[in-house]
Amino acid sequence: MSSNRVDYLIVGLGIAGVWISHQLKKRNKSFVVFDSEVENTSSKKAAGLYNPITGRKMVKTWRAEELFKNLEEDYRELEKVTGSKFLHSKTIYRPFLTVGDLNDWQGRQADEEYSPFIADVHVASLGIPGVMDRWGGIEIKKSGYVDIPSLITGYRKVLIAQGSYQAQEVSLEELSLENEIRYRGYEAGKIIFCQGAVIPKLWSQLRFRPVRGDLIDIACELPKDRIVNQGVFIIPKENFFTVGATYDHNILSYEPQKEGIENIISRLGRIFDADYRILAERAGVRPATHDRKPYIGFHPLNRNVGIFNGLGAKGVTLAPYFAKHFVDVLENKNELEKEINVERVY
């Protein structure tokens, strides 16, 4: 039987697989993406938020300057490729909990480390219906959300049109990794695993720490011009708002858990005092790692077998930047950064 020869096989079409494929295409490399098309995946359930200043202590996200420099430009490029709209650039409004927070951020507003990401520091309530912001709040820019399911759907159509897509799960038993990569009539120089929370046996030594996140979708009368984020995020979608999220390492299910939903409702009540109606409850499992850094690189026994995974809760932010970097590495134009290299585990 004759084989189809390509440069790469890519396993998985979540946000990682999309970006690896896109970067390979830009370098005129041939590939085929295999995807099982199951409904419950990390990317399909993600809220899609990107935010340069995060966490309870409100600090810049890891490597914010590099990651956010071209982030929105990169997603707009993908919008042109797919002919679909999925990037929603919006400021994030984070109400202050105390007057001390207000004073702190008035000082940080002039800090050149933070100023590129600060749209404004509000010293009084914005009067947003239902939002409790007695002391005002910080408004963050270079932020928003990506509708990841729409991105995946649009990019899948592009791959199908160019004959670079197979709707099937990859069976490791049928995969030959000796010298050339061989699988079901395809030959390739390299294979890249981009399967999110699905961890193949090949990579069982990696120290993944998957984490479930519960979300609710609500109907309410909030304006849709910005994202509110304090204890929970409230993201305006087309016909509803998405509120979340929880972080649970114990129950790794795509079914929302009662305690998780109750936790979100409780936290929402501390920032939002207005009527709302719950439309849906859902959950996803994030492919997080032991040190919250991505797992990128090569199998210790075979340099033709790669992985691009472990993007965790910040996949929207990490995927474009590190896909460029990894494809440069794959094409021998760069050395893989130690901080994200899977060798740190082996």
Side-chain angles (χ1 to χ4, degrees), residues 178-191:
E178 294 180 13
N179 299 319
E180 286 286 287
I181 309 296
R182 290 184 176 86
Y183 186 73
R184 292 187 181 176
Y186 285 96
E187 289 184 2
K190 291 182 172 68
I191 184 169

PDB file of all heavy atoms in Angstrom, residues 178-191:
ATOM      1  N   GLU A 178       9.669   3.825  14.607  1.00  0.00           N
ATOM      2  CA  GLU A 178      11.037   3.460  14.256  1.00  0.00           C
ATOM      3  C   GLU A 178      11.465   4.190  12.988  1.00  0.00           C
ATOM      4  O   GLU A 178      10.838   4.058  11.942  1.00  0.00           O
ATOM      5  CB  GLU A 178      11.126   1.944  14.048  1.00  0.00           C
ATOM      6  CG  GLU A 178      10.888   1.152  15.331  1.00  0.00           C
ATOM      7  CD  GLU A 178      10.990  -0.345  15.083  1.00  0.00           C
ATOM      8  OE1 GLU A 178      11.486  -0.732  14.005  1.00  0.00           O
ATOM      9  OE2 GLU A 178      10.571  -1.113  15.977  1.00  0.00           O
ATOM     10  N   ASN A 179      12.564   4.914  13.089  1.00  0.00           N
ATOM     11  CA  ASN A 179      13.092   5.721  11.972  1.00  0.00           C
ATOM     12  C   ASN A 179      12.050   6.737  11.505  1.00  0.00           C
ATOM     13  O   ASN A 179      11.992   7.835  12.013  1.00  0.00           O
ATOM     14  CB  ASN A 179      13.551   4.810  10.823  1.00  0.00           C
ATOM     15  CG  ASN A 179      14.654   3.870  11.246  1.00  0.00           C
ATOM     16  OD1 ASN A 179      15.561   4.277  11.973  1.00  0.00           O
ATOM     17  ND2 ASN A 179      14.575   2.626  10.815  1.00  0.00           N
ATOM     18  N   GLU A 180      11.224   6.361  10.554  1.00  0.00           N
ATOM     19  CA  GLU A 180      10.130   7.232  10.118  1.00  0.00           C
ATOM     20  C   GLU A 180       8.897   6.995  10.992  1.00  0.00           C
ATOM     21  O   GLU A 180       8.704   5.906  11.526  1.00  0.00           O
ATOM     22  CB  GLU A 180       9.774   6.931   8.653  1.00  0.00           C
ATOM     23  CG  GLU A 180      10.786   7.458   7.654  1.00  0.00           C
ATOM     24  CD  GLU A 180      10.700   8.955   7.481  1.00  0.00           C
ATOM     25  OE1 GLU A 180       9.747   9.427   6.863  1.00  0.00           O
ATOM     26  OE2 GLU A 180      11.601   9.655   7.980  1.00  0.00           O
ATOM     27  N   ILE A 181       8.064   8.039  11.123  1.00  0.00           N
ATOM     28  CA  ILE A 181       6.770   7.889  11.776  1.00  0.00           C
ATOM     29  C   ILE A 181       5.802   7.303  10.755  1.00  0.00           C
ATOM     30  O   ILE A 181       5.647   7.854   9.659  1.00  0.00           O
ATOM     31  CB  ILE A 181       6.235   9.248  12.282  1.00  0.00           C
ATOM     32  CG1 ILE A 181       7.290   9.977  13.131  1.00  0.00           C
ATOM     33  CG2 ILE A 181       4.930   9.071  13.036  1.00  0.00           C
ATOM     34  CD1 ILE A 181       7.674   9.297  14.402  1.00  0.00           C
ATOM     35  N   ARG A 182       5.149   6.195  11.086  1.00  0.00           N
ATOM     36  CA  ARG A 182       4.184   5.587  10.169  1.00  0.00           C
ATOM     37  C   ARG A 182       2.865   5.349  10.898  1.00  0.00           C
ATOM     38  O   ARG A 182       2.850   4.808  11.998  1.00  0.00           O
ATOM     39  CB  ARG A 182       4.713   4.258   9.620  1.00  0.00           C
ATOM     40  CG  ARG A 182       5.870   4.413   8.663  1.00  0.00           C
ATOM     41  CD  ARG A 182       6.280   3.064   8.067  1.00  0.00           C
ATOM     42  NE  ARG A 182       7.329   3.228   7.069  1.00  0.00           N
ATOM     43  CZ  ARG A 182       8.623   3.283   7.352  1.00  0.00           C
ATOM     44  NH1 ARG A 182       9.020   3.192   8.602  1.00  0.00           N
ATOM     45  NH2 ARG A 182       9.517   3.444   6.388  1.00  0.00           N
ATOM     46  N   TYR A 183       1.781   5.750  10.220  1.00  0.00           N
ATOM     47  CA  TYR A 183       0.463   5.541  10.812  1.00  0.00           C
ATOM     48  C   TYR A 183      -0.618   5.536   9.737  1.00  0.00           C
ATOM     49  O   TYR A 183      -0.807   6.532   9.031  1.00  0.00           O
ATOM     50  CB  TYR A 183       0.140   6.634  11.853  1.00  0.00           C
ATOM     51  CG  TYR A 183      -1.139   6.370  12.595  1.00  0.00           C
ATOM     52  CD1 TYR A 183      -1.206   5.362  13.555  1.00  0.00           C
ATOM     53  CD2 TYR A 183      -2.298   7.090  12.311  1.00  0.00           C
ATOM     54  CE1 TYR A 183      -2.384   5.095  14.231  1.00  0.00           C
ATOM     55  CE2 TYR A 183      -3.478   6.828  12.986  1.00  0.00           C
ATOM     56  CZ  TYR A 183      -3.511   5.823  13.940  1.00  0.00           C
ATOM     57  OH  TYR A 183      -4.684   5.542  14.600  1.00  0.00           O
ATOM     58  N   ARG A 184      -1.306   4.412   9.599  1.00  0.00           N
ATOM     59  CA  ARG A 184      -2.465   4.272   8.718  1.00  0.00           C
ATOM     60  C   ARG A 184      -2.273   4.932   7.344  1.00  0.00           C
ATOM     61  O   ARG A 184      -3.061   5.786   6.932  1.00  0.00           O
ATOM     62  CB  ARG A 184      -3.715   4.822   9.390  1.00  0.00           C
ATOM     63  CG  ARG A 184      -4.163   3.986  10.583  1.00  0.00           C
ATOM     64  CD  ARG A 184      -5.491   4.452  11.129  1.00  0.00           C
ATOM     65  NE  ARG A 184      -5.876   3.634  12.290  1.00  0.00           N
ATOM     66  CZ  ARG A 184      -6.961   3.855  13.021  1.00  0.00           C
ATOM     67  NH1 ARG A 184      -7.774   4.861  12.713  1.00  0.00           N
ATOM     68  NH2 ARG A 184      -7.247   3.078  14.052  1.00  0.00           N
ATOM     69  N   GLY A 185      -1.223   4.547   6.666  1.00  0.00           N
ATOM     70  CA  GLY A 185      -1.013   5.051   5.313  1.00  0.00           C
ATOM     71  C   GLY A 185      -0.272   6.364   5.226  1.00  0.00           C
ATOM     72  O   GLY A 185      -0.061   6.888   4.130  1.00  0.00           O
ATOM     73  N   TYR A 186       0.142   6.908   6.371  1.00  0.00           N
ATOM     74  CA  TYR A 186       0.914   8.157   6.370  1.00  0.00           C
ATOM     75  C   TYR A 186       2.338   7.889   6.852  1.00  0.00           C
ATOM     76  O   TYR A 186       2.568   7.071   7.755  1.00  0.00           O
ATOM     77  CB  TYR A 186       0.275   9.204   7.294  1.00  0.00           C
ATOM     78  CG  TYR A 186      -0.976   9.829   6.729  1.00  0.00           C
ATOM     79  CD1 TYR A 186      -2.235   9.339   7.075  1.00  0.00           C
ATOM     80  CD2 TYR A 186      -0.901  10.903   5.846  1.00  0.00           C
ATOM     81  CE1 TYR A 186      -3.394   9.909   6.556  1.00  0.00           C
ATOM     82  CE2 TYR A 186      -2.050  11.481   5.320  1.00  0.00           C
ATOM     83  CZ  TYR A 186      -3.282  10.979   5.679  1.00  0.00           C
ATOM     84  OH  TYR A 186      -4.422  11.536   5.162  1.00  0.00           O
ATOM     85  N   GLU A 187       3.275   8.594   6.262  1.00  0.00           N
ATOM     86  CA  GLU A 187       4.654   8.632   6.748  1.00  0.00           C
ATOM     87  C   GLU A 187       5.001  10.084   7.057  1.00  0.00           C
ATOM     88  O   GLU A 187       4.599  10.991   6.329  1.00  0.00           O
ATOM     89  CB  GLU A 187       5.626   8.103   5.695  1.00  0.00           C
ATOM     90  CG  GLU A 187       5.550   6.612   5.464  1.00  0.00           C
ATOM     91  CD  GLU A 187       6.606   6.134   4.476  1.00  0.00           C
ATOM     92  OE1 GLU A 187       7.402   6.987   4.013  1.00  0.00           O
ATOM     93  OE2 GLU A 187       6.630   4.935   4.182  1.00  0.00           O
ATOM     94  N   ALA A 188       5.737  10.298   8.149  1.00  0.00           N
ATOM     95  CA  ALA A 188       6.106  11.660   8.542  1.00  0.00           C
ATOM     96  C   ALA A 188       7.470  11.661   9.209  1.00  0.00           C
ATOM     97  O   ALA A 188       7.930  10.638   9.730  1.00  0.00           O
ATOM     98  CB  ALA A 188       5.058  12.232   9.492  1.00  0.00           C
ATOM     99  N   GLY A 189       8.084  12.835   9.188  1.00  0.00           N
ATOM    100  CA  GLY A 189       9.361  12.974   9.873  1.00  0.00           C
ATOM    101  C   GLY A 189       9.204  13.060  11.376  1.00  0.00           C
ATOM    102  O   GLY A 189      10.022  12.540  12.133  1.00  0.00           O
ATOM    103  N   LYS A 190       8.110  13.725  11.811  1.00  0.00           N
ATOM    104  CA  LYS A 190       7.888  13.923  13.243  1.00  0.00           C
ATOM    105  C   LYS A 190       6.388  13.818  13.558  1.00  0.00           C
ATOM    106  O   LYS A 190       5.539  14.046  12.696  1.00  0.00           O
ATOM    107  CB  LYS A 190       8.405  15.292  13.700  1.00  0.00           C
ATOM    108  CG  LYS A 190       9.924  15.453  13.671  1.00  0.00           C
ATOM    109  CD  LYS A 190      10.333  16.828  14.197  1.00  0.00           C
ATOM    110  CE  LYS A 190      11.851  16.944  14.351  1.00  0.00           C
ATOM    111  NZ  LYS A 190      12.553  16.946  13.063  1.00  0.00           N
ATOM    112  N   ILE A 191       6.091  13.518  14.814  1.00  0.00           N
ATOM    113  CA  ILE A 191       4.721  13.518  15.303  1.00  0.00           C
ATOM    114  C   ILE A 191       4.669  14.368  16.564  1.00  0.00           C
ATOM    115  O   ILE A 191       5.570  14.299  17.405  1.00  0.00           O
ATOM    116  CB  ILE A 191       4.207  12.081  15.577  1.00  0.00           C
ATOM    117  CG1 ILE A 191       2.733  12.102  15.985  1.00  0.00           C
ATOM    118  CG2 ILE A 191       5.068  11.352  16.617  1.00  0.00           C
ATOM    119  CD1 ILE A 191       2.092  10.713  16.017  1.00  0.00           C
TER     120      ILE A 191
END
